[in-house]
Amino acid sequence: MQKIVIRQFTKKDRDFVRYLCCETAFNGRPAENFFEGRNILADVLTRYFTDFEPESLFIAEIDGISVGYLTGNKDIKRQKKIFKTKVLPQVIIKILFTGSIFKRKNLIFALSCAKSFFKKEFFYPDFSGQFPSTLHINIDARYRSMGVGEKLMEHYDDFLRRENIKGIFVTTISERAKKFFQRLGFIILDRRKISYYSHLTDEDFFRYTLGKKLF
Ligand SMILES: CC(C)(COP(=O)(O)OP(=O)(O)OC[C@H]1O[C@@H](n2cnc3c(N)ncnc32)[C@H](O)[C@@H]1OP(=O)(O)O)[C@@H](O)C(=O)NCCC(=O)NCCS
């Protein structure tokens, strides 16, 4: 059996994290299914974690090869504040100056998101009182179902307990990921149908918010 090692993120892992997040952005599949412009998407999904809270980011390795990551945060309120003030403005500048918004695929996705916004599909109750921390986890598709995700989650659990953080919540649209989190002791806090991918597939998507208390 191959040995899974979990270690702290270093600056050298930045490109790997940005690459893997785009490879798995569409429910575990590549971002190009719904968006063109990996640099922009990687900024939205990972820049806060790599550049503003690297101490809560962990890498999984098998035989010295990086196969997955977990981007965590100790305080969702801090994350939201830094995202709005430091990450988002640069993302908007990149979108305008690269002409990314005028790409057909991106325009359709943006319109779809706007509709979802007015239907309140992005809204979910504020769970930060009981569950101040959150996470994203991504395993390279070639290395899933080998226990890598579980090892990363165990490591993150220990890390948060040492930091005296009382709970974690996570959101996902993946049924497989929902089961994965439930198996690790998370319970469903919220479930709502989302339609911003309905121009791409007939599949119904639900966004789950799941939470786990640590103390
Ligand atoms: C969800 C995800 C993180 C799970 O990671 P993983 O490394 O495949 O997780 P594990 O291997 O620890 O467990 C997954 C399954 O493999 C099984 N498994 C664990 N160890 C195993 C082993 N040695 N051999 C065979 N199966 C194993 C588990 O029973 C589990 O089954 P389940 O999903 O039906 O409960 C991964 O599929 C992923 O990255 N998905 C894409 C991104 C995503 O959806 N992220 C979640 C939202 S933030």
Side-chain angles (χ1 to χ4, degrees):
M1 193 167 156
Q2 289 160 310
K3 190 162 186 287
I4 302 160
V5 173
I6 310 298
R7 62 167 177 80
Q8 189 75 46
F9 165 87
T10 70
K11 279 184 187 161
K12 286 186 194 153
D13 301 308
R14 196 172 183 271
D15 287 347
F16 165 72
V17 171
R18 291 172 70 83
Y19 167 77
L20 190 56
C21 87
C22 291
E23 276 299 290
T24 58
F26 180 63
N27 199 20
R29 284 166 275 157
E32 284 71 21
N33 279 289
F34 70 96
F35 189 82
E36 273 178 53
R38 285 196 166 205
N39 196 14
I40 291 169
L41 195 66
D43 275 358
V44 172
L45 298 177
T46 66
R47 194 167 160 242
Y48 167 78
F49 306 99
T50 56
D51 297 7
F52 296 95
E53 196 175 335
E55 71 277 14
S56 307
L57 208 170
F58 303 97
I59 303 291
E61 275 186 357
I62 293 181
D63 294 338
I65 299 168
S66 302
V67 298
Y69 68 79
L70 186 156
T71 50
N73 82 52
K74 289 174 278 182
D75 181 0
I76 183 72
K77 287 189 175 154
R78 175 181 183 265
Q79 181 194 331
K80 282 185 177 167
K81 196 170 159 197
I82 292 182
F83 183 84
K84 274 188 203 150
T85 53
K86 304 232 161 98
V87 178
L88 195 57
Q90 286 195 16
V91 166
I92 292 170
I93 290 170
K94 278 189 190 173
I95 287 176
L96 295 176
F97 282 87
T98 58
S100 177
I101 192 67
F102 300 113
K103 291 193 172 140
R104 193 170 175 274
K105 199 179 275 180
N106 298 355
L107 202 53
I108 295 172
F109 182 59
L111 290 173
S112 209
C113 284
K115 270 195 225 160
S116 287
F117 178 80
F118 288 112
K119 286 197 236 164
K120 292 198 165 43
E121 290 179 6
F122 291 111
F123 170 84
Y124 57 87
D126 180 3
F127 297 112
S128 61
Q130 279 182 296
F131 308 98
S133 161
T134 185
L135 73 112
H136 294 280
I137 180 168
N138 265 326
I139 312 301
D140 181 326
R142 293 166 296 178
Y143 294 92
R144 290 181 196 158
S145 290
M146 293 168 73
V148 178
E150 192 172 333
K151 273 261 159 53
L152 268 169
M153 289 297 296
E154 275 170 17
H155 193 90
Y156 188 52
D157 244 53
D158 290 347
F159 167 76
L160 292 179
R161 282 178 211 272
R162 283 198 303 276
E163 298 278 336
N164 276 320
I165 298 204
K166 59 183 175 180
I168 331 170
F169 80 95
V170 63
T171 58
T172 183
I173 60 164
S174 155
E175 293 293 330
R176 183 192 150 97
K178 179 197 78 173
K179 282 194 200 133
F180 167 79
F181 290 119
Q182 283 178 308
R183 191 168 54 81
L184 297 178
F186 283 74
I187 54 158
I188 297 177
L189 303 172
D190 188 60
R191 174 189 184 263
R192 62 191 64 211
K193 196 169 175 179
I194 55 152
S195 61
Y196 46 88
Y197 290 135
S198 54
H199 60 293
L200 298 171
T201 163
D202 291 336
E203 212 179 323
D204 277 339
F205 282 112
F206 292 89
R207 194 186 63 219
Y208 298 94
T209 306
L210 300 108
K212 180 178 172 180
K213 286 191 181 156
L214 298 176
F215 292 104

